[in-house]
Amino acid sequence: MANAVKGVIAGAKGAPVSVETILVPDPGPGEALVRIQACGVCHTDLHYREGAITNDFPFLLGHEASGMVEKVGPNVTNVAPGDFVILAWRAPCGTCRSCLRGRPWYCFASRNAQQKMTRQDGTPLSAAIGIGAFAELALVAAGQAVKVNPAARPEAAGLVGCGIMAGLGAAINTAGVSRGDSVAVIGCGGVGNAAIAGAKLAGAHTIIGVDVDDRKLEWAKQFGATHTINSRHTDPVQAIRDLTGGNGVNVAIEAVGRPETYTQAFYARDHAGTVVLVGVPSPEMKIELPLLEVFGRGGALKSSWYGDCLPTRDFPMFIDLYLQGRLDLERFVSETITLDKVEEAFHKMERGEVLRSVVVF
Ligand SMILES: [Zn+2]
Ligand SMILES: [Zn+2]
């Protein structure tokens, strides 16, 4: 049986999104049907609407979500109806070449629901990052539903499913920030501020937030930045060196995804330091660096996909830290909105007015 519910659809490239009635099938083998309680508005949703990811319109948007498992299909053992879950866009298969090498966070065959959600006329919808959670119900692979402590507020918990996990994981999993490290984070939106929060959790002693927007730098301080630099007025590389005894930071995290900010991260780190790129570049961008500097500075140049997270390991842990008061997830929720306000939320995001607008159901 299919369930008729409201969902947010991007029907054509660049066109405003609309709320439509969609059909969500009951779960088949290995699938779970989740009643969505909250879903954050992420830049990736906007990128889908702009046709910047694929051209498989129409899209069912939304992917930073939490909710309650409503039904499960045959052969599902990890969750049961009534479980409070965060949806993950990585559900390791256990059998691809990366999983078999013991690196499930790089899984190359991550699972999604087999059945499609559709328009009422049967047109299949492409679910954003294999989720599609700006809807009252979402059908996912059971492995994408990760059980966490139900004491968490749904609107805060859902954010761990994407952007916030990307930032926390860039600092903790990819960079391996630890006690006493110095860290610079370039770009203090949702992902960058999560990287700052992650660096603080991991025990970094100097955390430098860099952005061109003073409002974002204020947020950075609230999440744990010990220093901030407005790079519109100040050369961030020199300022970061000045704050670190002339040396640069141990870890520079680039949360913008642009050649000029990547270059800043490259030169702002100390010898043998680590650069982590977690900002997502667009296809035409190129970078030019002196190869001798790449060699001579040593260290590591890394990319962080989804914070190199293992959802079943990391989501419950971050929710527990949040419930213990050690990770301020609530602060990422700038506002809660209804399903029909997603288009408006995109504009607020583009103007840099919010960290996250979160749809609540
Ligand atoms: Zn795999
Ligand atoms: Zn996202």
Side-chain angles (χ1 to χ4, degrees), residues 1-359:
M1 197 192 83
N3 307 272
V5 296
K6 299 276 182 223
V8 175
I9 305 296
K13 188 170 176 164
V17 298
S18 58
V19 177
E20 295 180 20
T21 298
I22 62 166
L23 298 176
V24 181
D26 267 344
E31 293 175 338
L33 184 68
V34 177
R35 184 159 293 277
I36 301 299
Q37 292 174 310
C39 184
V41 180
C42 174
H43 274 98
T44 306
D45 293 306
L46 182 57
H47 290 160
Y48 273 109
R49 194 204 68 170
E50 288 170 344
I53 298 182
T54 70
N55 221 10
D56 301 330
F57 289 93
F59 291 105
L60 173 59
L61 300 181
H63 60 276
E64 291 190 352
S66 65
M68 195 77 82
V69 175
E70 178 115 336
K71 287 182 190 171
V72 297
N75 312 323
V76 171
T77 55
N78 65 312
V79 285
D83 284 347
F84 179 61
V85 295
I86 297 175
L87 300 185
W89 44 273
R90 176 175 292 147
C93 70
T95 54
C96 75
R97 64 194 190 281
S98 188
C99 285
L100 291 176
R101 291 180 74 208
R103 300 171 179 189
W105 48 90
Y106 293 138
C107 178
F108 301 135
S110 184
R111 290 188 171 142
N112 294 128
Q114 295 294 308
Q115 302 178 84
K116 287 275 192 185
M117 296 179 267
T118 67
R119 276 184 159 149
Q120 276 183 306
D121 65 3
T123 311
L125 296 165
S126 306
I129 328 190
I131 295 184
F134 285 146
E136 293 153 327
L137 289 169
L139 182 73
V140 293
Q144 291 180 269
V146 179
K147 208 171 147 176
V148 298
N149 189 326
R153 251 180 87 209
E155 46 272 58
L159 301 185
V160 173
C162 181
I164 303 314
M165 183 65 246
L168 291 167
I172 294 173
N173 295 333
T174 313
V177 171
S178 74
R179 199 169 59 249
D181 280 347
S182 54
V183 178
V185 176
I186 302 178
C188 299
V191 174
N193 276 315
I196 286 172
K200 183 183 175 192
L201 259 181
H205 83 305
T206 300
I207 305 172
I208 306 167
V210 181
D211 204 286
V212 293
D213 181 344
D214 284 330
R215 177 169 36 195
K216 291 186 178 172
L217 293 174
E218 267 316 302
W219 293 334
K221 281 184 200 158
Q222 292 165 2
F223 285 107
T226 56
H227 305 79
T228 57
I229 298 165
N230 187 323
S231 55
R232 197 183 289 286
H233 315 302
T234 309
D235 171 11
V237 174
Q238 190 56 50
I240 289 168
R241 286 188 188 154
D242 290 346
L243 288 167
T244 50
N247 300 317
V249 283
N250 303 121
V251 172
I253 296 173
E254 204 280 21
V256 182
R258 297 192 57 88
E260 44 292 22
T261 38
Y262 188 86
T263 305
Q264 290 165 359
F266 181 82
Y267 285 109
R269 73 188 165 131
D270 198 358
H271 282 285
T274 301
V275 174
V276 172
L277 176 62
V278 64
V280 184
S282 45
E284 74 285 358
M285 291 175 178
K286 293 209 163 37
I287 183 129
E288 196 168 294
L289 288 168
L291 195 54
L292 183 60
E293 293 277 353
V294 174
F295 173 74
R297 288 172 170 265
L301 307 178
K302 299 173 120 179
S303 304
S304 186
W305 305 337
Y306 201 5
D308 290 338
C309 78
L310 194 50
T312 48
R313 175 194 67 190
D314 295 346
F315 291 5
M317 172 187 69
F318 285 122
I319 290 301
D320 288 349
L321 291 173
Y322 148 72
L323 290 171
Q324 293 164 14
R326 295 159 72 188
L327 173 63
D328 192 356
L329 290 178
E330 305 272 353
R331 200 180 281 283
F332 288 101
V333 182
S334 307
E335 60 168 358
T336 54
I337 59 172
T338 49
L339 201 57
D340 55 338
K341 296 286 188 291
V342 169
E343 183 65 30
E344 208 175 306
F346 283 150
H347 298 300
K348 287 184 194 166
M349 193 169 67
E350 286 179 306
R351 292 194 298 263
E353 293 171 8
V354 290
L355 273 174
R356 278 292 186 273
S357 304
V358 181
V359 174

